Amino acid sequence: MLLKKPLRLSKAWVVSLKTLLHLFLLGYLAWTFYLAVIGQLTADPVQGLLNFTGIGTVNLLFATLAISPLAKWLPCGDVMRFRRMVGVYAFVYGLSHFTTYLVFELQLNFSQLSSEIAKRPYILVGFSALMLLLALSVTSPMAVRRKMGKTWQQLHNWVYLCLFLALLHYSWSQKTLWGDPLIYWAVSLLVIYSRRQKLKRGLANLGRKPSLNRKKAP
Amino acid sequence: MAKKFTPSVKLTDNDVTDEAVYRQRRQFLKSLGFVGVSAAIASPAQAFGLFGSDDDKAPKVATEPLTFTSPAKYQAKDAKTPYGKVTGYNNFYEFGTDKTDPAANAQGFKTDPWTLKIDGLVENPLTLDHDALTKRFALQERIYRMRCVEAWSMVIPWIGFELGELIKAAKPLSNAKYVAFETVYDPKQMPGQRSRFVGGGIDYPYVEGLRLDEAMHPLTLLSVGLYGKTLPPQNGAPIRLVVPWKYGFKGIKSIVRIRLTDSQPANTWNLLAPDEYGFYANVNPHVDHPRWSQKSERRIGAGGLFSTKVIPTEMFNGYQEVAPLYKGMDLKRNF
């Protein structure tokens, strides 16, 4: 056994690790924008940024969803203290993705934005995923969470739909079905697998009418 | 006694540049306008594009200088896309689906020896070997706009000859109506042909087609080079098709066979997604692709994010002279 007792992170450790995470996630985003500005991010900087921020969003969603299984398996439950932050960064990257699209691809043509969302299903799907991430982010402060009570968890279970929409958007934006998105779908199966108990419970509850809940389980 | 003189740099005959190579280099520089009077007036932008920051991204495969003329009527005024971007950003799924994959994965690709066959409904079937590709027909430089269906565009100085010249040499029969093209099938050299995952799930070899009158149009080029030198493999070495009024995917790369037929040949992207990619694939701002609006395009130039130009797309990519080819056709249905 590596550790005799669970590893607890002191406040100082949490603060320093969070600072490092901020520096890394913001720094990476800023550095990539800088590369695009100086023309070093592939030949087509707009496409390069769209790829980076889009894939970054999905990666951060995966990271967010990996934290609670990790908290169970690692002898350190304190990793949960980073989940909210990583989740909000998924939204930050998603927002940069959308902003890049609006500012540099559509050149702030808002009427084209609405027609593109209406005409192209894959853009509608991506936009819906972003709106879900927005809803999850604005309800992430502790004060809001406390006020929302049980509905908070119900709302935040939509993160799975958000992941599904994000991956659908990614696959659909490609010219062929065979490609990198397949790897991401495979990883999403891992995310589901790590939650199979929760999923089973959820499905069982779906199949039951509320009145049947009073019956004792066999 | 004086000490025997020994040179600090030891050179042997092997280090001397062969005269033929030396002359070829001078010819290449001359053709680009870097030697003599024109060197003084060559624009700095051109110099930057060729020998500036893009040099470190230049292809690792040796490209040979070509001898060619530059007819004035084919010199587009648009600013050229730098060499590094033309050779570093490619769709060539045989070498991977990412646009930087071909430059990374195609460097060992062998283009010599090469055989290009022209057969089918012709009186005089031909076979061109590697040297014939660049020597049998007089080469011209043509600066063409290239528009990708993904809504980005480049301006590229191609070197090549008219496809029509080759077809005339093969003497088409009267019942020939279409021209079918085929890319080399060599899974040993092309990772995308070995693995569905690398190659985007496309059925190889890549095939394309043109109507005979489109193929005979003087704008239609068989290209063997760009920016004065032979094509790097990621751009379709040793010979590829360039049809400037059509989307880039019509420009089939690394061609081994050209066949004249009496029925419309298959084209790869149409086989894969017929509702998204038609046979004609004419650049048309009025017909959208399901995922990319075709009304405008991002022109890939020398600069970065803030210099990205979004410009309106023109019918036939601005090559209005081809409009008579489609007289009476509904280009919304025949996209």
Side-chain angles (χ1 to χ4, degrees):
Chain A
M1 184 81 176
L2 195 64
L3 297 162
K4 280 201 178 111
K5 55 184 181 180
L7 176 72
R8 294 305 308 260
L9 296 177
S10 69
K11 196 167 182 217
W13 264 104
V14 172
V15 170
S16 4
L17 285 173
K18 278 192 173 178
T19 310
L20 278 176
L21 260 179
H22 277 297
L23 285 176
F24 174 71
L25 292 172
L26 275 180
Y28 199 9
L29 190 61
W31 172 247
T32 310
F33 267 89
Y34 169 73
L35 287 182
V37 168
I38 62 167
Q40 294 294 314
L41 189 71
T42 80
D44 185 352
V46 179
Q47 195 59 45
L49 274 183
L50 285 175
N51 287 348
F52 171 78
T53 52
I55 291 170
T57 306
V58 178
N59 286 340
L60 285 168
L61 271 176
F62 280 142
T64 313
L65 290 167
I67 287 177
S68 70
L70 274 184
K72 269 179 220 156
W73 298 329
L74 291 178
C76 175
D78 282 350
V79 290
M80 281 301 273
R81 295 167 75 173
F82 301 95
R83 187 171 70 169
R84 178 175 63 171
M85 178 184 168
V86 180
V88 171
Y89 264 107
F91 172 67
V92 170
Y93 273 59
L95 190 64
S96 331
H97 182 69
F98 176 73
T99 311
T100 304
Y101 173 66
L102 179 63
V103 176
F104 296 106
E105 181 151 347
L106 299 184
Q107 311 258 309
L108 289 171
N109 185 339
F110 286 92
S111 67
Q112 200 188 342
L113 174 68
S114 44
S115 71
E116 291 288 305
I117 290 176
K119 253 199 272 179
R120 301 187 207 291
Y122 88 105
I123 292 184
L124 176 66
V125 162
F127 190 70
S128 313
L130 183 69
M131 290 299 102
L132 272 178
L133 275 179
L134 172 69
L136 303 188
S137 298
V138 295
T139 56
S140 67
M142 268 326 228
V144 182
R145 181 173 183 168
R146 258 183 246 116
K147 237 180 219 165
M148 287 179 72
K150 264 188 184 170
T151 46
W152 187 90
Q153 188 56 56
Q154 283 169 0
L155 174 68
H156 279 248
N157 280 340
W158 287 75
V159 69
Y160 303 109
L161 177 65
C162 180
L163 177 68
F164 172 76
L165 292 176
L167 289 181
L168 186 63
H169 171 74
Y170 183 22
S171 276
W172 211 334
S173 71
Q174 305 289 305
K175 287 209 287 195
T176 65
L177 287 177
W178 288 80
D180 293 350
L182 286 183
I183 301 172
Y184 286 78
W185 284 105
V187 175
S188 76
L189 287 181
L190 279 181
V191 168
I192 305 256
Y193 181 75
S194 73
R195 285 165 168 78
R196 59 197 180 280
Q197 303 298 343
K198 184 178 174 176
L199 198 72
K200 260 184 215 162
R201 280 200 304 274
L203 286 177
N205 285 337
L206 269 185
R208 269 183 221 159
K209 285 179 187 162
S211 61
L212 295 178
N213 278 345
R214 288 191 211 110
K215 279 187 185 170
K216 276 183 190 168
Chain B
M1 197 178 132
K3 202 177 157 196
K4 196 188 160 204
F5 171 76
T6 50
S8 62
V9 180
K10 293 189 178 71
L11 292 172
T12 69
D13 275 355
N14 285 336
D15 300 307
V16 176
T17 305
D18 184 79
E19 196 199 27
V21 174
Y22 170 81
R23 291 205 181 282
Q24 268 182 343
R25 286 180 188 160
R26 302 313 291 170
Q27 179 59 37
F28 167 59
L29 288 172
K30 269 184 199 163
S31 68
L32 287 174
F34 280 103
V35 177
V37 182
S38 55
I41 54 167
S43 73
Q46 237 181 337
F48 178 79
L50 261 175
F51 299 115
S53 64
D54 296 305
D55 244 17
D56 49 340
K57 284 189 237 153
K60 284 163 257 163
V61 153
T63 50
E64 301 290 328
L66 292 165
T67 309
F68 53 87
T69 57
S70 302
K73 65 188 280 202
Y74 295 116
Q75 309 300 306
K77 293 180 297 289
D78 315 47
K80 281 181 273 182
T81 301
Y83 183 71
K85 292 195 174 189
V86 175
T87 56
Y89 196 74
N90 310 94
N91 277 324
F92 198 169
Y93 277 24
E94 282 85 339
F95 293 107
T97 55
D98 203 274
K99 288 188 180 50
T100 51
D101 284 345
N105 299 336
Q107 296 311 315
F109 186 59
K110 286 194 177 54
T111 57
D112 186 9
W114 195 266
T115 318
L116 169 61
K117 272 190 186 153
I118 306 95
D119 56 8
L121 301 175
V122 293
E123 206 182 303
N124 180 31
L126 291 171
T127 303
L128 302 187
D129 65 7
H130 177 264
D131 281 353
L133 300 177
T134 51
K135 302 222 162 65
R136 177 158 174 158
F137 301 94
L139 300 180
Q140 291 186 351
E141 178 180 56
R142 298 194 175 184
I143 302 176
Y144 281 163
R145 293 180 288 278
M146 192 195 79
R147 171 64 154 79
C148 179
V149 71
E150 297 162 9
W152 52 268
S153 62
M154 290 184 177
V155 181
I156 306 174
W158 298 109
I159 318 285
F161 56 91
E162 288 177 18
L163 171 61
E165 287 188 56
L166 177 62
I167 293 177
K168 269 182 229 156
K171 296 184 184 160
L173 299 173
S174 59
N175 56 341
K177 290 194 171 56
Y178 291 92
V179 185
F181 303 86
E182 204 176 297
T183 297
V184 67
Y185 184 72
D186 189 353
K188 267 191 200 137
Q189 290 203 74
M190 296 175 143
Q193 293 180 341
R194 283 202 300 274
S195 145
R196 289 185 75 73
F197 191 71
V198 177
I202 286 177
D203 278 329
Y204 293 107
Y206 195 96
V207 289
E208 254 307 337
L210 292 173
R211 224 168 49 191
L212 186 58
D213 58 343
E214 295 177 320
M216 299 297 290
H217 194 279
L219 279 175
T220 306
L221 199 70
L222 278 178
S223 169
V224 295
L226 59 86
Y227 269 109
K229 293 181 277 186
T230 50
L231 292 171
Q234 62 268 34
N235 292 86
I239 189 160
R240 65 166 293 165
L241 181 67
V242 178
V243 194
W245 71 92
K246 292 178 182 284
Y247 292 119
F249 67 85
K250 291 299 274 190
I252 182 169
K253 299 183 172 88
S254 305
I255 308 171
V256 289
R257 191 167 178 208
I258 299 177
R259 195 165 40 88
L260 274 72
T261 67
D262 55 1
S263 57
Q264 184 175 303
N267 54 316
T268 292
W269 282 99
N270 179 254
L271 289 172
L272 201 77
D275 52 325
E276 299 187 8
Y277 309 93
F279 173 75
Y280 286 94
N282 290 321
V283 175
N284 186 344
H286 312 299
V287 178
D288 268 0
H289 182 278
R291 285 191 300 287
W292 303 286
S293 162
Q294 301 299 358
K295 287 184 186 64
S296 57
E297 65 203 49
R298 285 192 309 282
R299 175 62 53 83
I300 296 180
L305 188 59
F306 289 101
S307 65
T308 299
K309 270 189 286 182
V310 175
I311 55 177
T313 290
E314 290 180 78
M315 188 67 208
F316 299 123
N317 205 18
Y319 297 93
Q320 287 304 328
E321 58 266 52
V322 300
L325 295 176
Y326 308 101
K327 229 178 135 188
M329 273 177 77
D330 179 1
L331 292 180
K332 284 194 171 149
R333 227 160 49 86
N334 297 293
F335 59 90

